Structures are given as structure tokens and as C-alpha cells.
Amino acid sequence: MEKQEFIERLRNAVSTFADGVQDDNGAWTVKGFIDTHRDIYTISTDTKVVSKIVELYIFPKICKFAHDNGLRLELTKEQNFYPDMTFIDRDGNLFAVDIKSSYRKNSSSINGMTLGAFTGYFRERTSTKNVTHPYGNYKAHVVLGIIYSLADGGDDEFKVYRLENLDDIKSVIKNFSFFVQEKWRIAIDRAGSGNTKNIGSVSDISALIGGKGPFAELGEEIFDDYWMHYLTKDMARKAELSEPYYTNLTEYKAFKRLS
């Protein structure tokens, strides 16, 4: 299977995911955790908690996508391994899919996403450390993105409900959007998450869904070269450099003497 065919098939499948996770009013259908006593414990708006539950909720749909398209699905071996999912076609081609999620800050932008490390396996592309298969063996590196809004007046996370009161529980998030894009198309030229060595993403929702980040017109080779040689200030000092070679695309182009 060619890269674009895989992406289009996944994109087509993902286009129906929102219908399964929200009701007719756009509210999240997940209300909380239930125990054997039929007590329901409501969910907080903690992004890590929400993201993990959404991932678990759509997993059967992802399995169905793999089955329907004759793909074998491998999940990440460890929590900090890349990618979240590896799809393998009948010819042995590998497709990396990472699930990323974020909430809307307003109608046009999200809080931001990180798109994986720019050190380690990203630079050492034959390495098997912290990666299911060597990075260079994948035919495509794809983001399955989830965007949602925080609901107004969400429920008290310390409150416990009975099952018969399920309809009284307010959803903590709403209005899901799912998208599929290659990682390089939505990456920016700055690291994400403070001092961590992760690639940042565009925050504009239309750019995310449309794959119109700053590298989109430059191509994947430029994206790879930029991030394989990008240095933080600490990395530059350890390399005995007075400063990084560049800190943004404008400086990169000057460094590479690109027009």
C-alpha cells in the first residue's frame, strides 16, 4: 500500500469517529467510571485523563479499520515508545500512527500538541531504542488528531452518582473533531512543552486539519533536516558551541543558504 492510500483510508475511517463519542448535542457520551456497586465517579478535565479515555473509546474503531483494510496492528511496547500504533500491510510496509489530542482555546486555535521527540530514534533512524520499529523503516509518520472543547459548568469530580442518575451527569468535554495528517505537515519550527525535546505543532485548527504548517510547502526532507540538526541552548553548550546553529526557519534558511 502506498503512503497516500493508507492516509486517505485512515482519514475516511476517522471521519465517522466523532459520531461515536458524542451525542446529538455534541456532548461527550462518557460520563464517568462505574464500579460493581453501580456507583459512577465523574471525570475531571485533566487533559491526560481525558485523552487516555478517548483513546480507549475509539480503539475498537481503529481495530475495525485495520481488519477492513487487511492491516496488522501493533501497539506500542511501552508507554514512552514510538509510535502509539504501527500498521503493517500485506507487503510488510510500516505506517506509524500517533494519537494526539488537545482542547480548543477559542473557535480557531487549540492549546497545542507535541509531535514526538527530535532526538534519539528520530535522529538515529536505525535504532530500536524506545521505538517499535526503527524510525527509518516506516513509510509514513501520521498523526491521528483529536480536538475537543471544554464544557461549561462541568460536573464536580468529587461527586458520586448512582447508575439510575446517569442522565443527570454533565459531560466535561464536547464538540469533537478528528483529523489525520502527516507529522511534518503540521509541525512548527519550535519545540513544544517547555524544555522537553519534542517537536511542537501548529495551533491554528484550520492549519492542523488542512496540513498547512510552515514545513508544508518546503517538504518532508527539509522538516527532517531541520529537526535532526536542531539544538536547544543546553544541547549547543554540550556540543561546545556558543549558540545553536539556528532557532527558527528564517535562521535555518540563512544557515543553509536557502532562498
Side-chain angles (χ1 to χ4, degrees):
M1 187 182 297
E2 292 302 316
K3 174 175 70 173
Q4 198 56 40
E5 181 183 0
F6 171 81
I7 291 171
E8 289 303 326
R9 289 191 184 194
L10 180 60
R11 187 172 287 152
N12 183 59
V14 164
S15 68
T16 66
F17 281 14
D19 295 337
V21 298
Q22 61 189 20
D23 62 22
D24 293 340
N25 296 316
W28 194 18
T29 53
V30 174
K31 300 294 184 178
F33 305 93
I34 188 169
D35 64 16
T36 56
H37 302 296
R38 301 169 68 86
D39 289 327
I40 299 175
Y41 300 84
T42 54
I43 302 169
S44 75
T45 55
D46 183 288
T47 54
K48 291 182 180 179
V49 174
V50 168
S51 297
K52 191 59 183 178
I53 296 172
V54 174
E55 288 177 25
L56 292 171
Y57 206 60
I58 65 173
F59 184 66
K61 298 177 183 293
I62 292 169
C63 290
K64 184 178 186 303
F65 162 76
H67 178 268
D68 291 348
N69 289 277
L71 298 165
R72 183 160 57 89
L73 172 61
E74 286 186 5
L75 300 180
T76 181
K77 298 175 183 177
E78 303 287 346
Q79 186 174 358
N80 63 338
F81 272 43
Y82 175 88
D84 291 328
M85 300 175 290
T86 297
F87 293 90
I88 308 171
D89 70 10
R90 292 184 177 92
D91 297 321
N93 293 311
L94 305 176
F95 303 93
V97 176
D98 246 7
I99 300 176
K100 301 294 181 182
S101 62
S102 186
Y103 61 88
R104 294 180 181 88
K105 291 173 63 178
N106 50 52
S107 62
S108 61
S109 64
I110 63 166
N111 189 50
M113 297 176 176
T114 56
L115 303 178
F118 58 81
T119 57
Y121 57 77
F122 183 86
R123 299 187 178 188
E124 300 170 15
R125 299 200 165 188
T126 59
S127 171
T128 57
K129 184 178 180 181
N130 293 344
V131 64
T132 304
H133 297 275
Y135 195 93
N137 288 7
Y138 286 94
K139 201 161 190 175
H141 298 272
V142 179
V143 172
L144 194 171
I146 306 166
I147 303 170
Y148 57 88
S149 297
L150 301 176
D152 297 328
D155 236 313
D156 181 356
E157 63 186 275
F158 299 107
K159 191 171 182 178
V160 180
Y161 287 82
R162 294 291 294 169
L163 182 58
E164 53 266 28
N165 303 122
L166 176 64
D167 292 339
D168 295 334
I169 305 175
K170 298 176 183 177
S171 299
V172 294
I173 59 175
K174 61 183 181 178
N175 298 340
F176 288 84
S177 296
F178 290 80
F179 68 89
V180 172
Q181 281 294 346
E182 288 184 85
K183 177 165 66 175
W184 67 272
R185 289 185 176 275
I186 59 173
I188 57 174
D189 57 356
R190 302 184 307 279
S193 295
N195 295 323
T196 60
K197 296 181 178 67
N198 286 306
I199 300 167
S201 79
V202 292
S203 58
D204 180 80
I205 293 174
S206 63
L208 276 172
I209 295 174
K212 296 180 180 179
F215 291 97
E217 293 184 0
L218 299 174
E220 189 172 9
E221 289 186 7
I222 295 294
F223 162 79
D224 281 342
D225 187 67
Y226 180 94
W227 281 107
M228 287 177 78
H229 298 95
Y230 181 93
L231 299 175
T232 64
K233 290 183 178 180
D234 286 343
M235 292 168 70
R237 280 195 292 269
K238 288 179 180 178
E240 298 183 350
L241 298 171
S242 59
E243 59 184 13
Y245 302 123
Y246 50 83
T247 60
N248 55 52
L249 264 174
T250 300
E251 293 176 3
Y252 169 82
K253 291 177 180 178
F255 177 70
K256 291 286 186 174
R257 298 182 181 179
L258 300 174
S259 58

mmCIF file of all heavy atoms in Angstrom, residues 115-142:
data_model
loop_
_atom_site.group_PDB
_atom_site.id
_atom_site.type_symbol
_atom_site.label_atom_id
_atom_site.label_comp_id
_atom_site.label_asym_id
_atom_site.label_seq_id
_atom_site.Cartn_x
_atom_site.Cartn_y
_atom_site.Cartn_z
ATOM 1 N N LEU A 115 4.605 16.561 18.976
ATOM 2 C CA LEU A 115 4.591 15.574 17.898
ATOM 3 C C LEU A 115 5.719 14.560 17.994
ATOM 4 O O LEU A 115 6.138 13.995 16.982
ATOM 5 C CB LEU A 115 4.656 16.302 16.546
ATOM 6 C CG LEU A 115 3.545 17.330 16.309
ATOM 7 C CD1 LEU A 115 3.741 18.005 14.965
ATOM 8 C CD2 LEU A 115 2.166 16.691 16.407
ATOM 9 N N GLY A 116 6.209 14.324 19.192
ATOM 10 C CA GLY A 116 7.267 13.331 19.364
ATOM 11 C C GLY A 116 8.641 13.958 19.452
ATOM 12 O O GLY A 116 8.840 15.146 19.181
ATOM 13 N N ALA A 117 9.608 13.148 19.823
ATOM 14 C CA ALA A 117 10.974 13.618 20.076
ATOM 15 C C ALA A 117 11.689 14.008 18.791
ATOM 16 O O ALA A 117 11.414 13.477 17.715
ATOM 17 C CB ALA A 117 11.760 12.530 20.792
ATOM 18 N N PHE A 118 12.624 14.962 18.913
ATOM 19 C CA PHE A 118 13.505 15.276 17.786
ATOM 20 C C PHE A 118 14.933 14.792 18.066
ATOM 21 O O PHE A 118 15.864 15.117 17.322
ATOM 22 C CB PHE A 118 13.482 16.768 17.441
ATOM 23 C CG PHE A 118 13.880 17.709 18.560
ATOM 24 C CD1 PHE A 118 15.201 17.950 18.877
ATOM 25 C CD2 PHE A 118 12.905 18.365 19.292
ATOM 26 C CE1 PHE A 118 15.559 18.829 19.894
ATOM 27 C CE2 PHE A 118 13.243 19.255 20.314
ATOM 28 C CZ PHE A 118 14.575 19.488 20.611
ATOM 29 N N THR A 119 15.097 14.010 19.119
ATOM 30 C CA THR A 119 16.385 13.376 19.407
ATOM 31 C C THR A 119 16.179 11.866 19.388
ATOM 32 O O THR A 119 15.129 11.378 18.982
ATOM 33 C CB THR A 119 16.909 13.831 20.777
ATOM 34 O OG1 THR A 119 15.917 13.523 21.781
ATOM 35 C CG2 THR A 119 17.195 15.326 20.801
ATOM 36 N N GLY A 120 17.167 11.108 19.838
ATOM 37 C CA GLY A 120 17.013 9.659 19.952
ATOM 38 C C GLY A 120 16.684 8.999 18.629
ATOM 39 O O GLY A 120 17.361 9.214 17.623
ATOM 40 N N TYR A 121 15.611 8.205 18.621
ATOM 41 C CA TYR A 121 15.242 7.428 17.439
ATOM 42 C C TYR A 121 14.980 8.309 16.218
ATOM 43 O O TYR A 121 15.139 7.868 15.082
ATOM 44 C CB TYR A 121 14.006 6.570 17.725
ATOM 45 C CG TYR A 121 12.795 7.348 18.179
ATOM 46 C CD1 TYR A 121 12.005 8.062 17.284
ATOM 47 C CD2 TYR A 121 12.421 7.366 19.526
ATOM 48 C CE1 TYR A 121 10.905 8.780 17.699
ATOM 49 C CE2 TYR A 121 11.313 8.074 19.951
ATOM 50 C CZ TYR A 121 10.555 8.782 19.030
ATOM 51 O OH TYR A 121 9.452 9.499 19.448
ATOM 52 N N PHE A 122 14.566 9.575 16.427
ATOM 53 C CA PHE A 122 14.293 10.467 15.300
ATOM 54 C C PHE A 122 15.570 10.734 14.511
ATOM 55 O O PHE A 122 15.554 10.822 13.277
ATOM 56 C CB PHE A 122 13.693 11.782 15.804
ATOM 57 C CG PHE A 122 13.309 12.743 14.703
ATOM 58 C CD1 PHE A 122 12.066 12.649 14.096
ATOM 59 C CD2 PHE A 122 14.184 13.737 14.283
ATOM 60 C CE1 PHE A 122 11.709 13.525 13.078
ATOM 61 C CE2 PHE A 122 13.839 14.614 13.275
ATOM 62 C CZ PHE A 122 12.588 14.514 12.672
ATOM 63 N N ARG A 123 16.704 10.848 15.221
ATOM 64 C CA ARG A 123 17.981 11.124 14.550
ATOM 65 C C ARG A 123 18.727 9.836 14.219
ATOM 66 O O ARG A 123 19.374 9.753 13.172
ATOM 67 C CB ARG A 123 18.828 12.035 15.436
ATOM 68 C CG ARG A 123 18.147 13.372 15.681
ATOM 69 C CD ARG A 123 19.007 14.376 16.409
ATOM 70 N NE ARG A 123 18.283 15.631 16.546
ATOM 71 C CZ ARG A 123 18.790 16.768 16.992
ATOM 72 N NH1 ARG A 123 20.061 16.809 17.373
ATOM 73 N NH2 ARG A 123 18.056 17.858 17.064
ATOM 74 N N GLU A 124 18.638 8.876 15.097
ATOM 75 C CA GLU A 124 19.298 7.587 14.858
ATOM 76 C C GLU A 124 18.266 6.635 14.265
ATOM 77 O O GLU A 124 17.645 5.836 14.967
ATOM 78 C CB GLU A 124 19.874 7.059 16.168
ATOM 79 C CG GLU A 124 20.894 7.995 16.789
ATOM 80 C CD GLU A 124 21.274 7.590 18.205
ATOM 81 O OE1 GLU A 124 20.978 6.440 18.592
ATOM 82 O OE2 GLU A 124 21.851 8.431 18.915
ATOM 83 N N ARG A 125 18.075 6.712 12.981
ATOM 84 C CA ARG A 125 16.903 6.108 12.339
ATOM 85 C C ARG A 125 16.988 4.610 12.119
ATOM 86 O O ARG A 125 16.064 4.014 11.583
ATOM 87 C CB ARG A 125 16.594 6.857 11.044
ATOM 88 C CG ARG A 125 16.288 8.317 11.345
ATOM 89 C CD ARG A 125 15.534 9.025 10.296
ATOM 90 N NE ARG A 125 14.999 10.279 10.835
ATOM 91 C CZ ARG A 125 14.153 11.057 10.199
ATOM 92 N NH1 ARG A 125 13.706 10.704 9.008
ATOM 93 N NH2 ARG A 125 13.723 12.172 10.765
ATOM 94 N N THR A 126 18.075 4.010 12.546
ATOM 95 C CA THR A 126 18.158 2.547 12.544
ATOM 96 C C THR A 126 18.093 1.990 13.970
ATOM 97 O O THR A 126 18.121 0.773 14.163
ATOM 98 C CB THR A 126 19.452 2.066 11.875
ATOM 99 O OG1 THR A 126 20.583 2.599 12.579
ATOM 100 C CG2 THR A 126 19.511 2.508 10.412
ATOM 101 N N SER A 127 17.996 2.886 14.944
ATOM 102 C CA SER A 127 17.964 2.476 16.351
ATOM 103 C C SER A 127 16.635 1.783 16.686
ATOM 104 O O SER A 127 15.588 2.097 16.126
ATOM 105 C CB SER A 127 18.134 3.702 17.249
ATOM 106 O OG SER A 127 17.915 3.379 18.608
ATOM 107 N N THR A 128 16.697 0.848 17.619
ATOM 108 C CA THR A 128 15.490 0.177 18.105
ATOM 109 C C THR A 128 15.150 0.602 19.534
ATOM 110 O O THR A 128 14.286 0.005 20.170
ATOM 111 C CB THR A 128 15.677 -1.357 18.068
ATOM 112 O OG1 THR A 128 16.833 -1.712 18.844
ATOM 113 C CG2 THR A 128 15.844 -1.848 16.639
ATOM 114 N N LYS A 129 15.809 1.630 20.029
ATOM 115 C CA LYS A 129 15.561 2.105 21.382
ATOM 116 C C LYS A 129 14.329 2.999 21.421
ATOM 117 O O LYS A 129 14.216 3.984 20.678
ATOM 118 C CB LYS A 129 16.779 2.870 21.908
ATOM 119 C CG LYS A 129 16.634 3.310 23.358
ATOM 120 C CD LYS A 129 17.882 4.028 23.857
ATOM 121 C CE LYS A 129 17.737 4.467 25.305
ATOM 122 N NZ LYS A 129 18.924 5.191 25.801
ATOM 123 N N ASN A 130 13.388 2.659 22.311
ATOM 124 C CA ASN A 130 12.171 3.444 22.527
ATOM 125 C C ASN A 130 11.311 3.585 21.274
ATOM 126 O O ASN A 130 10.590 4.575 21.102
ATOM 127 C CB ASN A 130 12.499 4.833 23.081
ATOM 128 C CG ASN A 130 13.071 4.780 24.476
ATOM 129 O OD1 ASN A 130 12.968 3.772 25.164
ATOM 130 N ND2 ASN A 130 13.708 5.853 24.896
ATOM 131 N N VAL A 131 11.385 2.601 20.390
ATOM 132 C CA VAL A 131 10.595 2.644 19.170
ATOM 133 C C VAL A 131 10.218 1.214 18.789
ATOM 134 O O VAL A 131 11.012 0.287 18.981
ATOM 135 C CB VAL A 131 11.372 3.356 18.040
ATOM 136 C CG1 VAL A 131 12.621 2.586 17.664
ATOM 137 C CG2 VAL A 131 10.497 3.613 16.827
ATOM 138 N N THR A 132 8.996 1.022 18.295
ATOM 139 C CA THR A 132 8.537 -0.327 17.945
ATOM 140 C C THR A 132 9.355 -0.900 16.810
ATOM 141 O O THR A 132 9.780 -2.062 16.838
ATOM 142 C CB THR A 132 7.048 -0.295 17.578
ATOM 143 O OG1 THR A 132 6.305 0.273 18.665
ATOM 144 C CG2 THR A 132 6.525 -1.706 17.315
ATOM 145 N N HIS A 133 9.570 -0.110 15.769
ATOM 146 C CA HIS A 133 10.452 -0.453 14.656
ATOM 147 C C HIS A 133 11.341 0.763 14.406
ATOM 148 O O HIS A 133 10.956 1.890 14.724
ATOM 149 C CB HIS A 133 9.650 -0.775 13.390
ATOM 150 C CG HIS A 133 8.755 -1.975 13.526
ATOM 151 N ND1 HIS A 133 9.194 -3.265 13.314
ATOM 152 C CD2 HIS A 133 7.443 -2.077 13.859
ATOM 153 C CE1 HIS A 133 8.195 -4.105 13.501
ATOM 154 N NE2 HIS A 133 7.128 -3.410 13.844
ATOM 155 N N PRO A 134 12.530 0.592 13.835
ATOM 156 C CA PRO A 134 13.375 1.758 13.558
ATOM 157 C C PRO A 134 12.610 2.835 12.788
ATOM 158 O O PRO A 134 11.847 2.528 11.865
ATOM 159 C CB PRO A 134 14.510 1.165 12.725
ATOM 160 C CG PRO A 134 14.606 -0.246 13.187
ATOM 161 C CD PRO A 134 13.183 -0.678 13.451
ATOM 162 N N TYR A 135 12.834 4.070 13.178
ATOM 163 C CA TYR A 135 12.091 5.203 12.606
ATOM 164 C C TYR A 135 12.180 5.227 11.089
ATOM 165 O O TYR A 135 11.197 5.501 10.393
ATOM 166 C CB TYR A 135 12.639 6.513 13.191
ATOM 167 C CG TYR A 135 11.761 7.714 12.967
ATOM 168 C CD1 TYR A 135 10.824 8.097 13.919
ATOM 169 C CD2 TYR A 135 11.886 8.489 11.810
ATOM 170 C CE1 TYR A 135 10.024 9.216 13.735
ATOM 171 C CE2 TYR A 135 11.081 9.607 11.611
ATOM 172 C CZ TYR A 135 10.151 9.966 12.567
ATOM 173 O OH TYR A 135 9.351 11.068 12.377
ATOM 174 N N GLY A 136 13.360 4.922 10.570
ATOM 175 C CA GLY A 136 13.566 4.975 9.129
ATOM 176 C C GLY A 136 12.868 3.872 8.359
ATOM 177 O O GLY A 136 12.789 3.925 7.131
ATOM 178 N N ASN A 137 12.348 2.866 9.055
ATOM 179 C CA ASN A 137 11.674 1.755 8.378
ATOM 180 C C ASN A 137 10.213 2.059 8.055
ATOM 181 O O ASN A 137 9.583 1.323 7.301
ATOM 182 C CB ASN A 137 11.723 0.488 9.238
ATOM 183 C CG ASN A 137 13.113 -0.121 9.307
ATOM 184 O OD1 ASN A 137 14.079 0.456 8.817
ATOM 185 N ND2 ASN A 137 13.234 -1.282 9.935
ATOM 186 N N TYR A 138 9.690 3.136 8.640
ATOM 187 C CA TYR A 138 8.288 3.472 8.415
ATOM 188 C C TYR A 138 8.111 4.222 7.095
ATOM 189 O O TYR A 138 8.907 5.096 6.745
ATOM 190 C CB TYR A 138 7.745 4.322 9.562
ATOM 191 C CG TYR A 138 7.494 3.539 10.827
ATOM 192 C CD1 TYR A 138 8.459 3.463 11.827
ATOM 193 C CD2 TYR A 138 6.295 2.864 11.024
ATOM 194 C CE1 TYR A 138 8.236 2.739 13.002
ATOM 195 C CE2 TYR A 138 6.046 2.140 12.188
ATOM 196 C CZ TYR A 138 7.026 2.078 13.171
ATOM 197 O OH TYR A 138 6.792 1.363 14.318
ATOM 198 N N LYS A 139 7.049 3.881 6.411
ATOM 199 C CA LYS A 139 6.744 4.529 5.137
ATOM 200 C C LYS A 139 6.082 5.884 5.353
ATOM 201 O O LYS A 139 6.126 6.755 4.483
ATOM 202 C CB LYS A 139 5.834 3.633 4.302
ATOM 203 C CG LYS A 139 5.840 3.937 2.818
ATOM 204 C CD LYS A 139 5.313 2.775 2.014
ATOM 205 C CE LYS A 139 5.565 3.004 0.533
ATOM 206 N NZ LYS A 139 5.164 1.825 -0.285
ATOM 207 N N ALA A 140 5.433 6.051 6.492
ATOM 208 C CA ALA A 140 4.784 7.326 6.814
ATOM 209 C C ALA A 140 4.697 7.478 8.323
ATOM 210 O O ALA A 140 4.590 6.484 9.054
ATOM 211 C CB ALA A 140 3.386 7.390 6.205
ATOM 212 N N HIS A 141 4.750 8.729 8.764
ATOM 213 C CA HIS A 141 4.592 9.071 10.175
ATOM 214 C C HIS A 141 3.377 9.988 10.280
ATOM 215 O O HIS A 141 3.414 11.140 9.840
ATOM 216 C CB HIS A 141 5.858 9.742 10.708
ATOM 217 C CG HIS A 141 7.052 8.853 10.653
ATOM 218 N ND1 HIS A 141 7.374 7.990 11.664
ATOM 219 C CD2 HIS A 141 7.982 8.671 9.678
ATOM 220 C CE1 HIS A 141 8.463 7.307 11.329
ATOM 221 N NE2 HIS A 141 8.845 7.699 10.131
ATOM 222 N N VAL A 142 2.310 9.444 10.848
ATOM 223 C CA VAL A 142 0.988 10.068 10.761
ATOM 224 C C VAL A 142 0.463 10.411 12.150
ATOM 225 O O VAL A 142 0.691 9.667 13.110
ATOM 226 C CB VAL A 142 0.007 9.108 10.041
ATOM 227 C CG1 VAL A 142 -1.387 9.705 9.960
ATOM 228 C CG2 VAL A 142 0.527 8.761 8.647
#
